[in-house]
Amino acid sequence: MTLLSDAAVLAELEQTPGWTRVSKTLDRTYRFQSFRDAMFFVNGVAALAESAGHHPDIAVHYNVVALSLWTHSAGGLTAKDFALARTIDAVLA
Amino acid sequence: MTLLSDAAVLAELEQTPGWTRVSKTLDRTYRFQSFRDAMFFVNGVAALAESAGHHPDIAVHYNVVALSLWTHSAGGLTAKDFALARTIDAVLA
């Protein structure tokens, strides 16, 4: 995967509402009604991650889930990160 | 729940191998063969957390899972944290 230029990242961000670029990563935080709802979401993310062969960092703080995506092999953000971010929101949000 | 004294924390730590006190929290990191194995563990932790009514912070970085426990209402470590830590290891490790 090719590392995206800053301009390409901005263009991708416009198509990926709710996600923020934080240094080298693409991040989003989700808040749920309960821990159970949060875990249901986390398991959906895990399934999509396995399917994509691309795995976000996942942090669960009771009913809040934070996802962080980046492409390790490229050392930053690639199209793969934005594709998975959009798939997560399309399927689970 | 009563906040544990430093001496009580040390006594509890001796009975809770693998866990470390990090400032106000009780932490442990687990490494698995795969992301799937890590998620299986995370779901076990979630079930035990719901059962205990006490929820660790959970961070998943591919095959590595970090748990962090503390008792918010007490502002630090209580017997509840050590009890859940030991239950997690007894049931899942």
Side-chain angles (χ1 to χ4, degrees):
Chain A
M1 296 301 290
T2 315
L3 200 63
L4 295 174
S5 67
D6 282 348
V9 166
L10 288 177
E12 290 275 17
L13 278 172
E14 279 187 19
Q15 318 230 16
T16 319
W19 292 78
T20 314
R21 180 192 201 163
V22 181
S23 179
K24 281 190 177 179
T25 66
L26 180 65
D27 292 10
R28 183 165 185 181
T29 299
Y30 302 80
R31 184 175 295 270
F32 299 92
Q33 293 286 327
S34 66
F35 179 71
R36 280 180 193 220
D37 288 353
M39 284 304 305
F40 185 85
F41 174 76
V42 164
N43 280 291
V45 169
L48 295 173
E50 280 290 273
S51 169
H54 192 46
H55 301 79
D57 285 345
I58 305 168
V60 184
H61 178 72
Y62 194 62
N63 65 326
V64 176
V65 179
L67 302 181
S68 186
L69 276 161
W70 71 304
T71 306
H72 301 232
S73 56
L77 294 176
T78 66
K80 213 170 160 181
D81 300 304
F82 286 95
L84 180 54
R86 288 194 288 261
T87 299
I88 287 169
D89 288 347
V91 174
L92 299 171
Chain B
M1 296 303 290
T2 316
L3 200 63
L4 295 174
S5 67
D6 281 348
V9 166
L10 289 176
E12 290 274 18
L13 278 172
E14 279 187 18
Q15 318 230 16
T16 319
W19 291 78
T20 314
R21 180 191 201 162
V22 180
S23 179
K24 282 189 177 180
T25 66
L26 180 65
D27 293 10
R28 184 166 184 180
T29 300
Y30 303 79
R31 185 175 295 270
F32 299 93
Q33 294 284 327
S34 65
F35 178 70
R36 281 181 193 218
D37 288 352
M39 284 305 306
F40 185 84
F41 173 77
V42 164
N43 280 291
V45 169
L48 294 172
E50 280 290 273
S51 169
H54 193 46
H55 301 78
D57 284 346
I58 304 168
V60 184
H61 179 72
Y62 195 61
N63 64 326
V64 176
V65 179
L67 302 181
S68 186
L69 276 161
W70 71 303
T71 305
H72 302 231
S73 56
L77 294 176
T78 66
K80 213 169 159 181
D81 300 305
F82 287 95
L84 182 54
R86 288 194 288 261
T87 299
I88 287 169
D89 287 347
V91 174
L92 300 171

